[in-house]
Amino acid sequence: VDFLYILNFDHKLIKVGRSFDVERRIPELQRESGIQEIIKLRIFTATHQEIYDLEQELHSELRERNFQHYADWSTECFENDCQFILNKLLDQCSLEEML
């Protein structure tokens, strides 16, 4: 079992990532980013392979649409403006949504 998370960092950027333990990952991301306000937008669960595949597909699609946000602490960050297309893509997936 794995989790795909969509997090909003201080209303400035979106991170699309995966973790076996999202609640433990958030404090790590706060330390890495220096941003304390992290809001969980959506969380999905499935097998590790399904989560990994969806994560990579979302990253590719968002990068192709020029939503990449360059942060020195992560390569999985995207501009806040990506939320509409990101939600559209996630609404089409068949994975179980937790949040």
Side-chain angles (χ1 to χ4, degrees), residues 84-96:
F84 175 77
I85 190 66
L86 181 57
N87 282 326
K88 212 170 168 185
L89 295 168
L90 288 168
D91 288 344
Q92 295 173 11
C93 85
S94 61
L95 302 185
E96 179 184 355

Side-chain angles (χ1 to χ4, degrees), residues 19-75:
S19 176
F20 293 114
D21 186 342
V22 176
E23 294 305 318
R24 192 178 80 216
R25 182 71 178 122
I26 290 175
E28 293 171 358
L29 291 169
Q30 288 171 318
R31 281 191 300 280
E32 292 169 15
S33 69
I35 297 172
Q36 294 307 302
E37 184 182 3
I38 298 177
I39 301 162
K40 293 183 272 186
L41 298 178
R42 298 181 81 172
I43 297 176
F44 293 83
T45 188
T47 67
H48 172 70
Q49 191 62 55
E50 290 170 313
I51 292 293
Y52 176 80
D53 291 345
L54 179 58
E55 177 196 37
Q56 296 307 304
E57 180 183 328
L58 293 171
H59 288 170
S60 293
E61 185 69 31
L62 293 174
R63 286 184 183 119
E64 283 177 24
R65 293 173 182 257
N66 295 314
F67 286 114
Q68 180 79 46
H69 178 92
Y70 294 95
D72 58 1
W73 52 273
S74 176
T75 60

